[in-house]
Amino acid sequence: MDDAVKYLVTSLQKHGMWENTLFVFTTDNGGPANPINAGNNWPLRGSKGTLWEGGTRGVAFVHGNMLQRTGYVNNEMIHAVDWYPSLLELVGGSGDPDMDGLNVWDTVSKGYPSPRKEFVYNIDVVKDARSGAAIRMGDYKLISGKGGHPDGWVPVPTVDGVWEEHVLMDEYEEMIELGLAPHNKTYLFNIKDDPTEHHDLSKHMPDKVNEMLARLEELKKKLVPAIHPKEEPDKADPRKFGNAWSPGWC
């Protein structure tokens, strides 16, 4: 990864393009936190493929001469879909007013407050019945249904970085089960005050729960049905595509 980034930056510099480039380095989701993979989301809860913050919260950095404010940490609310209209704004374009993404270029480049006040983590009911929905509204996050597994707080790997030598997979599962939350439950968290999702407020703030559940139901009416194509791994056989895997294997 480091070498790839270095190669890209040096190439842009070599061809005189670096000074006019906005460089965005970002993740798409949390890491797969288990002994088999190298991901870790501590101190956040959960893992890749879950609705907990460890599976959904992303980090990024941005570099470029077009940034008016630099050298600071931005904690404003930004969703992945906001990159598209924001980059369009930067190059003089504009997006469809009905798209989900918002133009947050002033938030990124100047540190202004974000125009985004809510976003959906998930609404769709996936094909293997792991149904769960989640929404963020202001400082609050609501999970309805299944938050996903694992949902505990996976500790940071040992200094040598080798999980397998210290935590066997069955020990890991037992460790996570200690903090396993029941499925088909509604959770409410104040993400600003409790980003690690330790304190469920749903029983103490029923009005907020009902407000956010109603908003989810409203958004469900606009839901576009998900497409779940049949997996056809034979069509992805690398022997048919110059020894490269192609769509169809997942």
Side-chain angles (χ1 to χ4, degrees):
M1 177 74 75
D2 291 343
D3 287 341
V5 172
K6 178 182 178 181
Y7 176 78
L8 178 60
V9 172
T10 54
S11 295
L12 289 168
Q13 292 171 335
K14 178 181 178 181
H15 292 88
M17 302 171 65
W18 179 246
E19 297 301 318
N20 194 38
T21 293
L22 180 72
F23 190 91
V24 180
F25 190 96
T26 183
T27 184
D28 56 347
N29 45 246
N34 60 58
I36 297 176
N37 297 289
N40 188 267
N41 307 305
W42 179 268
L44 300 179
R45 183 176 185 172
S47 179
K48 175 181 178 180
T50 73
L51 296 176
W52 309 108
E53 289 296 285
T56 57
R57 181 176 291 220
V59 294
F61 73 80
V62 183
H63 177 280
N65 289 332
M66 55 286 299
L67 298 173
Q68 296 186 34
R69 184 181 177 190
T70 60
Y72 78 105
V73 176
N74 190 314
N75 290 309
E76 290 293 315
M77 186 187 296
I78 298 175
H79 191 277
V81 297
D82 298 333
W83 283 118
Y84 179 57
S86 302
L87 296 177
L88 277 180
E89 167 74 13
L90 178 61
V91 298
S94 59
D96 186 332
D98 293 327
M99 68 170 53
D100 291 329
L102 299 176
N103 177 8
V104 295
W105 176 240
D106 282 347
T107 303
V108 174
S109 63
K110 302 176 184 178
Y112 287 3
S114 173
R116 178 168 293 284
K117 306 304 178 186
E118 69 171 17
F119 65 80
V120 172
Y121 292 85
N122 189 62
I123 291 182
D124 190 24
V125 178
V126 296
K127 58 184 177 181
D128 60 0
R130 292 178 299 166
S131 57
I135 187 173
R136 173 82 180 268
M137 294 174 61
D139 293 338
Y140 291 94
K141 173 182 178 179
L142 179 133
I143 298 177
S144 177
K146 301 178 181 180
H149 180 71
D151 68 2
W153 295 266
V154 181
V156 178
T158 55
V159 174
D160 58 16
V162 182
W163 260 102
E164 294 86 343
E165 293 183 3
H166 302 277
V167 181
L168 299 176
M169 194 62 186
D170 57 349
E171 295 175 348
Y172 160 80
E173 291 290 345
E174 182 179 348
M175 173 180 64
I176 296 302
E177 290 288 345
L178 295 176
L180 185 63
H183 286 325
N184 300 317
K185 185 180 183 299
T186 298
Y187 301 88
L188 179 68
F189 302 101
N190 184 317
I191 293 299
K192 181 178 180 180
D193 296 339
D194 179 29
T196 57
E197 297 172 300
H198 276 85
H199 307 292
D200 178 15
L201 304 175
S202 60
K203 293 182 179 180
H204 306 288
M205 303 181 67
D207 291 342
K208 175 59 70 173
V209 169
N210 291 334
E211 174 191 355
M212 297 179 74
L213 285 174
R215 179 58 176 158
L216 268 177
E217 289 299 319
E218 181 181 350
L219 291 170
K220 280 183 181 180
K221 298 175 182 178
K222 302 178 181 180
L223 179 67
V224 177
I227 300 175
H228 299 296
K230 179 181 178 181
E231 294 185 4
E232 300 178 291
D234 291 342
K235 292 186 177 181
D237 191 334
R239 292 173 294 183
K240 301 177 182 179
F241 302 97
N243 297 318
W245 282 100
S246 299
W249 66 274
C250 71

